[in-house]
Amino acid sequence: MAAGASPLPSQQLPLGARVHLGVKSDKEIVGTLQDELVSMLEDVTEFEITPEGRRITKLDQIL
């Protein structure tokens, strides 16, 4: 880090926040943050682009 530069402040999302994650170039996961220590999401929707088209998968929770 350069002299005089300050580090970016850490930002913690509150529990219950909606989170959008780009997992791969062809996949996105959207869910509600339930536990920030283990990155558990609930009410999850996974969007994936496949050769057959867009696939949407609903999951109760993921880590």
Side-chain angles (χ1 to χ4, degrees), residues 10-58:
S10 65
Q11 294 180 355
Q12 188 172 22
L13 294 172
L15 294 180
R18 281 303 270 179
V19 178
H20 296 255
L21 303 172
V23 180
K24 294 181 180 178
S25 61
D26 60 349
K27 190 180 285 191
E28 179 182 358
I29 294 176
V30 179
T32 303
L33 184 63
Q34 294 301 314
D35 185 336
E36 67 271 358
L37 294 177
V38 293
S39 300
M40 183 169 64
L41 300 178
E42 289 187 344
D43 187 25
V44 177
T45 305
E46 178 183 77
F47 301 94
E48 183 175 11
I49 303 300
T50 68
E52 295 79 29
R54 185 174 179 182
R55 178 172 44 195
I56 299 173
T57 306
K58 298 277 189 175

